[in-house]
């Protein structure tokens, strides 16, 4: 990464402001962008002209969002945060006072109705579901960041779940630094997971629904290391391009970092705040990147140098 100079985009557009810690952008078929507002406990639609409307109010902490079968929206709900706010900055600081665990929800965007699909995997409650990606085979992979408290934390994990709510599998555990961004290679054979606190991007070979090939110890969870980000960089969400590169929203440094499947840093794009949290691709040629700037509550867009991967159900 030391040889890769950060670019400052010239064509960045602010699409919406005043959002309450936005994440999970989804480019919708009608040209709008759906996203979550974690602090507000709601799912919001941003129209092409910037108009905002509420799709649903699931409460808790809706964190990740994906377009699912039949036009439904699937939500990874972290269960809620406590918040610190000062001028120009809103950030989570721990579990909310009413936190009881996380959950996976399905939302009907036409009515706003919310259905809880999963709250636990076997005897273990979900801690902080964070992000998800559909596999096109009747299910989806999702990350669990865990939960951080004043003097302890619950480890993160990776799960697979059936989209109809009938089956859930713990596929990788523990992810000590919190499993965050998650995505699949274009052929669906590799699952990528960003580990927040360590600045590490991991890969797993997908053997089938809910089944990952595991590397032996000392890998903490069976993943193989793709890239160790340098310096103090924390990792958030990610998106995969049509060519198979992985674009990671990189916290603290305030960057979007493109990593090749072989681990090389290909491109670094500087964002106008330190915490760009999520990225998705849309537009007719999949060359528009939509990015959430969560501390300052903005959704922005910018042209991208390669097309993003078109996801199942999009």
């Amino acid at each position: 990464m030391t040889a890769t100079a950060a670019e400052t985009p010239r064509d960045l557009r602010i699409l919406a402001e005043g959002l309450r810690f936005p994440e999970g952008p989804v480019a919708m078929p009608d040209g709008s962008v759906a996203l979550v507002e974690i602090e507000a406990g709601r799912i919001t639609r941003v129209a092409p002209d910037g108009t905002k409307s509420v799709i649903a109010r699931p409460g808790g902490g809706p964190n990740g969002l994906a377009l699912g079968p039949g036009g439904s929206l699937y939500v990874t709900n972290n269960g809620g945060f406590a918040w610190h706010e000062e001028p120009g900055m809103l950030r989570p600081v721990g579990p909310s006072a009413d936190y009881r665990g996380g959950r996976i929800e399905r939302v009907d965007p036409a009515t706003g109705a919310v259905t809880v699909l999963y709250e636990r995997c076997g005897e273990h409650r979900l801690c902080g579901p964070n992000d998800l990606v559909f596999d096109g085979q009747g299910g989806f992979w999702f990350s669990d960041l865990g939960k951080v408290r004043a003097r302890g934390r619950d480890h993160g994990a990776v799960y697979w779940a059936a989209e109809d709510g009938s089956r859930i599998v713990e596929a990788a555990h523990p992810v000590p630094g919190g499993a965050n961004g998650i995505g699949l290679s274009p052929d669906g054979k590799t699952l990528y997971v960003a580990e927040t606190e360590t600045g590490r991007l991991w890969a797993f070979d997908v053997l089938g629904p809910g089944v990952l090939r595991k590397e032996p110890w000392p890998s903490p969870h069976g993943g193989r290391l793709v890239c160790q980000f340098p310096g103090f960089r924390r990792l958030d969400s990610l998106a995969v391009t049509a060519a198979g590169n992985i674009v990671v929203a990189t916290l603290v440094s305030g960057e979007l970092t493109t990593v090749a499947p072989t681990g090389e840093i290909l491109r670094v794009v500087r964002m106008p705040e330190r915490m760009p949290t999520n990225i998705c691709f849309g537009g007719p040629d999949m060359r528009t990147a939509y990015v959430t700037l969560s501390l300052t509550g903005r959704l922005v867009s910018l042209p991208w140098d390669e097309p993003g991967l078109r996801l199942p159900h999009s």
Side-chain angles (χ1 to χ4, degrees):
M1 187 171 191
T2 55
T4 306
E7 308 170 21
T8 300
R10 297 179 179 178
D11 301 320
L12 186 139
R13 295 178 55 220
I14 298 174
L15 302 180
E17 299 182 277
L19 300 165
R20 302 295 290 178
F21 212 87
E23 290 206 33
V26 174
M28 300 293 281
D30 64 359
S32 66
V33 177
L35 50 77
V36 302
E37 294 185 72
I38 302 179
E39 190 271 348
R42 66 187 173 222
I43 300 167
T44 299
R45 185 190 302 270
V46 178
D49 65 359
T51 303
K52 294 177 285 188
S53 58
V54 176
I55 295 174
R57 300 180 186 273
N63 205 132
L65 195 64
L67 195 59
S72 56
L73 289 166
Y74 281 62
V75 184
T76 45
N77 195 310
N78 66 45
F81 289 131
W83 297 88
H84 169 81
E85 187 167 13
E86 57 188 81
M89 183 173 68
L90 174 69
R91 60 184 176 88
V93 293
S96 61
D98 61 353
Y99 169 75
R100 297 292 181 271
R103 54 192 183 263
I104 304 296
E105 300 163 320
R106 183 175 59 217
V107 171
D108 182 340
T111 65
V114 179
T115 302
V116 176
L117 295 181
Y118 302 100
E119 293 181 295
R120 61 176 59 249
C121 179
E123 62 184 89
H124 302 292
R125 282 212 62 138
L126 302 178
C127 291
N130 187 280
D131 203 358
L132 73 161
V133 62
F134 280 88
D135 63 5
Q137 300 182 54
F140 56 93
W141 298 92
F142 73 92
S143 60
D144 192 312
L145 190 68
K147 215 68 176 178
V148 178
R149 298 174 296 276
R151 291 186 176 271
R153 70 172 299 148
D154 299 313
H155 289 312
V158 176
Y159 296 89
W160 179 91
E163 60 194 26
D164 63 1
S166 62
R167 180 174 176 247
I168 183 171
V169 176
E170 183 184 271
H173 180 274
V175 184
N180 198 315
I182 193 165
L184 286 164
S185 60
D187 62 7
K189 295 180 179 181
T190 305
L191 182 73
Y192 296 106
V193 178
E195 186 177 4
T196 295
E197 303 301 341
T198 63
R200 293 171 181 160
L201 177 65
W202 298 93
F204 298 84
D205 294 335
V206 177
L207 302 181
V211 183
L212 301 173
R213 191 181 74 81
K214 299 295 185 68
E215 295 289 324
W217 181 88
S219 173
H221 39 57
R224 66 178 185 276
L225 184 64
V226 176
C227 183
Q228 170 71 72
F229 283 52
F232 182 27
R233 284 174 168 83
R234 302 167 70 238
L235 306 187
D236 207 294
S237 185
L238 62 82
V240 178
T241 71
N245 296 317
I246 308 101
V247 185
V248 185
T250 309
L251 308 178
V252 183
S253 60
E255 297 162 344
L256 302 175
T257 309
T258 301
V259 182
T262 49
E264 295 88 357
I265 301 288
L266 301 177
R267 187 184 186 212
V268 179
V269 178
R270 186 178 292 111
M271 290 287 100
E273 78 156 64
R274 298 183 73 185
M275 301 291 183
T277 51
N278 283 221
I279 177 172
C280 77
F281 294 107
D285 56 2
M286 296 297 286
R287 285 179 177 265
T288 300
Y290 297 97
V291 182
T292 49
L293 305 179
S294 296
L295 289 183
T296 53
R298 294 177 287 175
L299 173 69
V300 301
S301 70
L302 66 157
W304 205 249
D305 65 333
E306 58 176 322
L309 179 64
R310 195 172 296 278
L311 299 174
H313 310 298
S314 63

